Amino acid sequence: MNFNEGKPIYLQIADRIMDDVISGAYAPGARIESVREFAGRVGVNANTVMRTYTWLQERGIIFNKRGIGYFIADDAPEQANTLLRSYFFEREAPYFLERLARFGITPAELSSRYAAFLG
């Protein structure tokens, strides 16, 4: 995993897991890797992954079955989508919209290009 300096690593890992939940790579009820397994795979300290798992658990994306491991919550896709959309509109969209205005891109042009992107 490649990390950027603008956001804490544990939140970047959480974003990745939530993206995987939304895309179906992690299905509701599925067991996810242990903290140590995940840390080894992505090349970070186990404490960082533990912080990620705690953050996700506090938001209802995953849950812990003591002695068994962490699992994806039944409503995780909806919860993850809500969290990521909120982050996008609060943090990313303002910059994006400012750039659209600066470049003189009209709503019609944006809509046309977005429709073409969607296929």
Side-chain angles (χ1 to χ4, degrees), residues 4 15 23 26-27 29 34 41-42 46 50 55 59 65 68 70 72-73 81 86 89 95 105 110 114:
N4 68 54
D15 286 349
S23 73
Y26 286 128
S34 73
R41 184 169 60 82
V42 299
M50 189 66 230
W55 190 90
R59 283 149 186 85
K65 287 186 180 178
I68 299 174
Y70 288 92
I72 303 298
N81 190 45
S86 176
F89 282 116
Y95 173 78
I105 297 171
L110 178 62
Y114 185 57

Side-chain angles (χ1 to χ4, degrees), residues 3-101:
F3 300 105
N4 68 54
E5 295 181 22
K7 189 174 187 179
I9 291 173
Y10 81 97
L11 290 177
Q12 292 178 59
I13 295 170
D15 286 349
R16 173 68 184 270
I17 291 171
M18 288 190 293
D19 284 342
D20 287 346
V21 167
I22 291 169
S23 73
Y26 286 128
R31 185 178 182 280
I32 60 175
E33 295 171 287
S34 73
V35 169
R36 287 185 189 166
E37 290 169 337
F38 197 97
R41 184 169 60 82
V42 299
V44 299
N45 187 292
N47 291 330
T48 301
V49 175
M50 189 66 230
R51 191 169 182 192
T52 300
Y53 282 16
T54 298
W55 190 90
L56 290 168
Q57 190 171 359
E58 289 170 350
R59 283 149 186 85
I61 306 297
I62 65 174
F63 63 94
N64 187 355
K65 287 186 180 178
R66 189 176 170 107
I68 299 174
Y70 288 92
F71 295 82
I72 303 298
D74 288 340
D75 63 345
E78 296 82 13
Q79 294 290 348
N81 190 45
T82 298
L83 284 169
L84 291 174
R85 284 176 59 95
S86 176
Y87 180 84
F88 173 78
F89 282 116
E90 291 173 12
R91 303 287 176 116
E92 296 173 0
Y95 173 78
F96 175 73
L97 295 171
E98 185 273 325
R99 301 288 284 178
L100 291 174

